[in-house]
Amino acid sequence: MKQVDAYTQTQPARLSFEPVRSAEALRALHANVWKSEKARDRRHQVELVRTLATQLLRDHGWAFFHFDGDRPWSERSSSENVAKFSQLIEAKVYTLIVEQFSTRATRAATPVAQQEVEAQARQRMNRLKRIVPFYSIEAWLFQNTRVAIRLCERHYGGRDADQFQRWEQERHTLDEVRKPKEQVCLGAKHNSALASEAFPARDVHAAGCSFASVVDKLCQDEELRKALQQTYDFPVTSV
């Protein structure tokens, strides 16, 4: 959010980050169950779609959904996960939101055209944000090279310190690494530390590729920018 608007205040009283609380919906987020074709996973997927639609229908509700691209950045157009998310999640969430707005329209004193209902639904769907690293989340986390080197030296005798240094010099190359967590000693064991300790977001954005793509799309969302302005400690100044 700081990359979208540097003045954003992220204290809980101003910007609330809420985890998924439904156990059924949460199950759909584990091991890509959201895209499973198994009958046993259907109820989890249904609850996930319902949870997302409910969040988007809130007056100030947004939903950020992470999944890995499972492709190098240069092959992103072939990502199965991107295609399935559009088909299995976004399309179904949109249908639920249209149904809700249609129900409200029938109860309204003034008739609301179906075209307007669909426009309202599309506006709410724009609040569902894809957070998609390529190849995987480690392509972003390993960008925190200084922390990664420290962890590598502390726990693994500095075995892959040189590799992290190379990535720091050519940050864009990390998005082309297949299965990055299998390429270095850290694996996925230190992701929390890599995400929370002084992440070099500006440098990663400057490198382009998948992180920059996500940030730039968020920056283009006028409604999101206006929402973030509501967290300011001071009045917005026009210049």
Side-chain angles (χ1 to χ4, degrees):
M1 295 300 95
K2 290 284 190 180
Q3 297 306 299
V4 178
D5 186 329
Y7 297 109
T8 298
Q9 302 300 303
T10 58
Q11 302 94 318
R14 295 179 179 271
L15 186 63
S16 176
F17 293 93
E18 301 178 2
V20 173
R21 291 188 171 86
S22 165
E24 290 286 345
L26 191 60
R27 177 71 184 107
L29 300 178
H30 293 166
N32 286 332
V33 168
W34 63 266
K35 67 173 186 176
S36 169
E37 297 180 359
K38 297 177 181 178
R40 69 187 184 191
D41 295 323
R42 173 64 177 164
R43 70 180 189 276
H44 305 305
Q45 296 165 343
V46 168
E47 185 58 29
L48 174 61
V49 167
R50 184 181 296 115
T51 297
L52 289 170
T54 299
Q55 176 68 7
L56 298 178
L57 285 165
R58 295 173 62 184
D59 288 341
H60 304 289
W62 303 74
F64 290 74
F65 196 107
H66 158 253
F67 59 91
D68 292 337
D70 285 353
R71 296 286 191 281
W73 175 242
S74 59
E75 299 174 17
R76 58 191 178 280
S77 61
S78 67
S79 174
E80 172 191 276
N81 289 350
V82 171
K84 286 196 171 185
F85 184 73
S86 177
Q87 299 165 4
L88 302 178
I89 302 298
E90 289 178 325
K92 293 178 181 179
V93 172
Y94 175 74
T95 297
L96 274 186
I97 291 178
V98 168
E99 290 175 357
Q100 287 294 318
F101 279 128
S102 296
T103 299
R104 296 178 187 180
T106 60
R107 297 172 180 172
T110 303
V112 179
Q114 184 63 22
Q115 185 176 2
E116 183 177 345
V117 167
E118 293 175 0
Q120 292 174 343
R122 287 193 296 272
Q123 182 272 328
R124 291 306 175 97
M125 282 300 299
N126 193 47
R127 296 181 178 183
L128 176 55
K129 302 299 186 183
R130 302 178 184 180
I131 309 298
V132 190
F134 287 82
Y135 182 97
S136 64
I137 191 63
E138 285 76 21
W140 292 3
L141 298 177
F142 290 167
Q143 295 278 6
N144 198 350
T145 51
R146 295 184 182 181
V147 173
I149 290 171
R150 189 182 75 234
L151 291 168
C152 179
E153 291 175 343
R154 178 186 301 169
H155 299 286
Y156 307 98
R159 189 174 79 196
D160 294 308
D162 289 346
Q163 178 60 71
F164 286 112
Q165 289 174 347
R166 287 192 291 272
W167 282 335
E168 183 173 359
Q169 295 301 314
E170 297 183 303
R171 292 188 180 278
H172 66 282
T173 61
L174 249 171
D175 273 59
E176 296 300 325
V177 178
R178 295 178 185 273
K179 301 182 179 180
K181 68 182 177 182
E182 297 181 7
Q183 306 305 315
V184 290
C185 56
L186 299 189
K189 298 178 181 178
H190 305 277
N191 285 1
S192 180
L194 292 169
S196 58
E197 295 184 29
F199 186 79
R202 290 186 178 181
D203 291 339
V204 183
H205 180 262
C209 304
S210 59
F211 183 81
S213 176
V214 169
V215 171
D216 291 347
K217 287 177 181 177
L218 295 178
C219 289
Q220 293 165 11
D221 187 337
E222 183 178 359
E223 185 185 21
L224 176 60
R225 295 200 313 272
K226 287 182 177 179
L228 293 178
Q229 289 174 4
Q230 301 306 308
T231 69
Y232 288 2
D233 284 330
F234 49 83
V236 178
T237 301
S238 298
V239 296

